[in-house]
Amino acid sequence: MTATETQARGTRRGMRLDFHVLGPVLALVALIVIGILLNPNFLSYGNITNVLARSAFIGIIAVGMTFVITSGGLDLSVGSMAAFIAGLMILVMNALLPTLGVSVATILAGMATALVAGLVAGAINGLLVTRGRIEAFIVTLGTMGIYRSLVTWLADGGTLSLDFDLRTLYGPVYYGGLLGVAWPIIVFAIVAILGELAMRHTAFGRHCAATGSNEQVARYSAVHVDKVRTATYIMLGVLVGVATIMYVPRLGSASSSTGLLWELEAIAAVIIGGTVLKGGYGRVWGTVVGVLILSLIGNILNLTDVVSPYLNGAIQGVIIILAVVMQRGRAASR
Amino acid sequence: MNFRSHAAIAALALAALPASAQETAVIGVSIPAATHGWAGGMNFHAQEAIDRLEATYEQLDFVLATASDPGKQVNDIEDMVATRNIDALVVLPFESEPLTGPVQGVADQGTWVTVVDRGLSQEGIEDLYVAGDNPGFGRVAGEFFAERMPDGGNIVVLRGIPTTIDNERVEGFQQAIEGSGIEILGMEHGNWNRDDAFTVMQDFLSRYPEIDAVWASDDDMAIGALAAIEQAGRADEMWVLGGAGMKEMIQRVQEGDEMVPANVTYPPAMIATAIELTALNFVSNAPVSGDFIIGSVLVTPENAAQYYFPDSPF
């Protein structure tokens, strides 16, 4: 343990290239180069905006997921939770329409609903894991099924749609932006920066790592392990709410197929970014790189005809495994 | 052949019984749960048909079960046979392969079997087969493109989840536009999903500067594609043809929306057709065994009102 740490520090001091850290960045650069070579429109303003904006949902969630995984937890329910919160938001906003009308107040009420629902859902997951002493995998597998069924039930098996005029008013939250940068990208960036600061420079970040690394030791070191764990789930829940706030104005609808497999994409992004699945070490900026890698693969495959679309999933799978193998390989040989 | 006539005699005997003794005939209906829009509409129409028939015919009793996976559907059917003593089974198989054996078992007991939409993997098990026309769905769409683009043009195609259904539709479409001068620039899977279709369409728009029309092949995908086109500010360059007859899209056709000129039906209400025909077998002398293929119809502003169901979730 001490030996590795000293070595790692030595490497950093010596300014030698640390492939353990650079692996995902190299993969991202390689993908960008491939994209440029395959299609001249790849670097166009429109395409870059599209890719970054669509990464924002998974990205915002994945930042929260980084904390949960770092502290030794896991959350499989985020995709279903996003679908449920989106459905709830739409129902609340449509219900407020007669009283508040097509106004900013209605939309703010919808946003508040999303944040509160996310907080409550996250707290339920967190308390069941810490107070209920149930494995995170099982708790969130259960809530995953519950939220997915609830949204199907709310939508009566169909699709919940936001009132057309409200959607027009709300639309700029996804489609609009500041100085040419779309709002989802700005929100994603802010969440990522705050996440990085929290992970690196606050006691909370260090407590997450300590809890995930060795719960007993953390407990003896006066870390409130249960509080830290619960807090990570609540934070993730709120971030799912934030992601949903950005998601709903895009198509103005929610159905049982909303947010399908988001949890796995978020977890994959976290792991590609260098966070350890078993907990104990997390890297928020790595997660951001992981999210970008995943959305660039889809984008590049759509922009070219090189590979049969049937193989999209296979290519994503190979890249996920390669990215992790590269890190682990270099890390072991260090 | 032998078995079929056997089943027919058994069914006839059953049909004759309630008429004389006023005994009730029990019809079991087993369908996939409402996990997506089309299935939601199908559940709605199944429930509606059952309510209507139960109100009309005293001698009919219905058992409705919705399953979220093939295994659950097999259990449902076993339960219906064991505890409700069904005289007929109307089944929309979740998947063909796993349901073939269990449904064959039901048919072997002399129970009337109606199979809907997805055929079983063995022929000749069912007494009645009611289904939509997938190659026809693609053909009608293709003919509309050929008619609307007499001088040819560039189009992109969004495909569904990779399945036989999707392949049949796309083949039908390609045959119909052959020789019309229409060029398919790109085809990608949008998986019958709004979000996936939005993403794929965004990338198509970045990739091709000239697109004249989009065959979204499904209304959920059409909604995603339309949002992407509006975002790119290219709404006046192209139009979109969806399919399946979602009420919001039918409404847009009805209102004469420039971007949504038409729709092609693949009605979830086909489950109602199947239940009604099965009921007819027990309450009348009308022969209903055989295949009943429901054609895909082109919906235009002129006939849209006929295909608009405001109460249905789909």
Side-chain angles (χ1 to χ4, degrees), chain B residues 267-279:
Chain B
M270 68 174 68
I271 189 73
T273 314
I275 296 172
E276 299 261 2
L277 285 175
T278 308

Side-chain angles (χ1 to χ4, degrees), chain B residues 138-153 155 172-183 213 215 239 241 298:
Chain B
R139 197 189 58 245
V140 170
E143 284 166 356
F144 180 75
F145 272 80
E147 189 195 299
R148 210 177 145 96
M149 305 170 88
D151 307 322
I155 67 166
F173 181 80
Q174 283 171 320
Q175 278 166 13
I177 61 165
E178 221 170 55
S180 63
I182 295 174
E183 197 199 339
W215 184 42
W239 48 271
L241 181 68
L298 186 72

